[in-house]
C-alpha cells in the first residue's frame, strides 16, 4: 500500500510492467501508472489488487480527471521538487477605474446580442430593446469605453515595466488624434449603412 504513494516506487513498478509487456514506455504511460495508483488508493477496497488489475488490463478509462491531476502534480513535484507559492513575484495591481452603466452596456452588448442571435448592427439591437438609446449616446459610451480600455492598458504597462511596442497613442500624447480618427470612422460607417 505504501508503494502506491511513492512516486519512485511507482516508476519502478512502471518499469516492471514494461518488462512483463503490460505497458509501453513514455511519459504518458508513466502518468497512467501514477494516476492508476491514485485511483486505486481513492476507491479500492484492496488498492494493490485494483492497481495491478488496472495496469495489466490497461483500464485507463476508469481514471478520473482528479486522479490524473493528482498524478501530474506528484510527477511534477518528483521532477522539480515541491512547488512554493511564495517564490513568484506579486503581479502588478491594475487600479480599478470606474465605468458608467452605458459604457458597460456597450462592452457587453456584442456578446449578449450575438448569443441572442442578433447579426445586425449592435446599436440597432440595443435600440430595439431600449428605445431611449440615441446614436449620440451610443457613440459617447463607445468613446468612454475606448478611453477606459486605454487607461487599463496604460496602468498594466506601468505595472509591468514594459515599454509600448510602436503604438503612438500609448503614452497619451496623440489620444485626441486617435479619438478623432475613430469618430470619423464611426460616422463614415454610419453614413455608408444609411
Amino acid at each position: 500500500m505504501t508503494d502506491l504513494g511513492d512516486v519512485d516506487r511507482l516508476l519502478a513498478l512502471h518499469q516492471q510492467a514494461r518488462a512483463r509487456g503490460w505497458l509501453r514506455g513514455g511519459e504518458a504511460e508513466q502518468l497512467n501508472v501514477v494516476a492508476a495508483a491514485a485511483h486505486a488508493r481513492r476507491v479500492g477496497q484492496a488498492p494493490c489488487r485494483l492497481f495491478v488489475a488496472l495496469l495489466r488490463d490497461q483500464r485507463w478509462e476508469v481514471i478520473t480527471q482528479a486522479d490524473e491531476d493528482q498524478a501530474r502534480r506528484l510527477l511534477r513535484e518528483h521532477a522539480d521538487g515541491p512547488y512554493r507559492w511564495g517564490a513568484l513575484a506579486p503581479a502588478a495591481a491594475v487600479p480599478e477605474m470606474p465605468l458608467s452603466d452605458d459604457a458597460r452596456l456597450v462592452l457587453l452588448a456584442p456578446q449578449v446580442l450575438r448569443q441572442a442571435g442578433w447579426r445586425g448592427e449592435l446599436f440597432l439591437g440595443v435600440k430595439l430593446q431600449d428605445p431611449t438609446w440615441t446614436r449620440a449616446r451610443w457613440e459617447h459610451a463607445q468613446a468612454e469605453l475606448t478611453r477606459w480600455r486605454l487607461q487599463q492598458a496604460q496602468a498594466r504597462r506601468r505595472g509591468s515595466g514594459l515599454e509600448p511596442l510602436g503604438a503612438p497613442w500609448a503614452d497619451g500624447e496623440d489620444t485626441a488624434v486617435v479619438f478623432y480618427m475613430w469618430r470619423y470612422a464611426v460616422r463614415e460607417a454610419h453614413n455608408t449603412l444609411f
Side-chain angles (χ1 to χ4, degrees), residues 43-165:
V43 302
Q45 293 176 354
C48 294
R49 189 176 305 173
L50 176 59
F51 174 73
V52 171
L54 292 174
L55 255 64
R56 183 184 56 233
D57 300 336
Q58 296 184 17
R59 297 289 310 268
W60 313 133
E61 70 274 6
V62 300
I63 295 172
T64 65
Q65 187 64 50
D67 298 329
E68 189 173 321
D69 291 343
Q70 182 181 2
R72 284 186 198 285
R73 183 183 53 77
L74 290 170
L75 286 169
R76 188 177 328 113
E77 286 178 357
H78 179 263
D80 302 333
Y83 183 74
R84 291 175 186 80
W85 286 98
L88 294 176
V94 176
E96 184 64 31
M97 297 175 189
L99 192 59
S100 72
D101 290 341
D102 284 356
R104 189 168 282 114
L105 185 124
V106 169
L107 175 68
L108 298 175
Q111 177 184 0
V112 172
L113 289 172
R114 299 283 185 259
Q115 286 176 349
W118 181 261
R119 297 292 178 244
E121 184 189 358
L122 296 175
F123 166 71
L124 295 177
V126 170
K127 180 134 178 101
L128 285 173
Q129 296 300 316
D130 182 359
T132 63
W133 276 87
T134 63
R135 180 65 69 175
R137 181 180 174 192
W138 178 261
E139 289 176 1
H140 179 75
Q142 282 184 317
E144 180 187 344
L145 180 60
T146 302
R147 283 190 302 272
W148 179 80
R149 285 178 170 158
L150 181 64
Q151 288 172 344
Q152 292 283 13
Q154 288 172 342
R156 280 194 300 275
R157 188 195 63 187
R158 278 192 302 272
S160 70
L162 298 175
E163 293 298 320
L165 297 175

Side-chain angles (χ1 to χ4, degrees), residues 6-16 30 34 75 78:
D6 180 11
V7 175
D8 284 323
R9 186 65 184 126
L10 287 171
L11 295 177
L13 291 171
H14 173 257
Q15 291 299 324
Q16 291 175 12
Q30 287 178 351
V34 178
L75 286 169
H78 179 263

Side-chain angles (χ1 to χ4, degrees), residues 180-192:
Y180 172 77
M181 291 171 28
W182 172 81
R183 212 171 176 147
Y184 175 77
V186 168
R187 282 194 184 124
E188 286 300 310
H190 177 69
N191 292 338
T192 305

